[in-house]
Amino acid sequence: MRTPPPPHPPVQSRRPPRRPPRRRFLIARNLLHELDSTGALAYGRFLWRRWLRIFPAYAATMFLINSGGAALLPACSRWGWTNLLFVNNLIGPQVGFYGQDTCLGHTWSIALEMQFYLLSPPLVLAMRARQLPPEAWLRLCT
């Protein structure tokens, strides 16, 4: 009679252990880093940097659309100001149904991004004052 072979040791994975995912939004992390390192938050400077990053290309596009005599010209002459103030996702025909005469209706996401940049520093300061974890962003946004 043969004896059964001894059981094999469990096979170990050669993959490195998984790192936990980062749980902070990039903008919130940058604002918290600035707040920790300087003790204050330069709100105006933050908005200025964001505006300089987005507005020049956005304004150039608006200028080219309006100067080229494109089919969007009638809508842009009436609703172009909403694009330049980053409120085109709240005011104008972009809010309505597709197929309406819109002025760069697809730029609603840029307006939403600028509104997020406008509101994120006060929210980060409020979270820091109440010592809320970064996951509270999800609860605030949903």
Side-chain angles (χ1 to χ4, degrees):
M1 233 174 106
R2 271 178 114 180
T3 60
H8 295 288
V11 178
Q12 293 186 357
S13 174
R14 294 182 183 197
R15 288 186 289 169
R18 296 171 104 186
R19 292 188 307 178
R22 291 192 172 181
R23 299 184 185 249
R24 293 183 180 161
F25 293 100
L26 180 63
I27 294 297
R29 186 179 67 216
N30 290 346
L31 290 171
L32 287 172
H33 176 69
E34 181 179 345
L35 191 60
D36 289 338
S37 63
T38 64
L41 193 62
Y43 184 60
R45 194 180 85 175
F46 169 76
L47 288 178
W48 178 249
R49 286 191 318 247
R50 299 288 99 199
W51 187 83
L52 279 178
R53 185 173 182 159
I54 293 173
F55 188 75
Y58 194 55
T61 302
M62 289 290 297
F63 175 75
L64 290 174
I65 292 289
N66 284 323
S67 66
L72 295 174
L73 183 61
C76 286
S77 64
R78 179 163 185 210
W79 296 107
W81 65 272
T82 62
N83 290 68
L84 293 176
L85 293 178
F86 300 107
V87 293
N88 59 322
N89 63 329
L90 303 172
I91 300 171
Q94 290 89 330
V95 178
F97 299 104
Y98 288 105
Q100 289 182 348
D101 194 20
T102 65
C103 177
L104 299 173
H106 59 280
T107 59
W108 64 268
S109 61
I110 296 173
L112 187 65
E113 183 178 357
M114 283 301 290
Q115 292 161 11
F116 172 75
Y117 291 147
L118 188 67
L119 295 176
S120 59
L123 287 175
V124 166
L125 287 173
M127 287 173 52
R128 176 54 66 103
R130 294 182 176 256
Q131 297 179 349
L132 294 174
E135 291 81 16
W137 273 99
L138 296 175
R139 288 185 221 121
L140 286 173
C141 295
T142 56

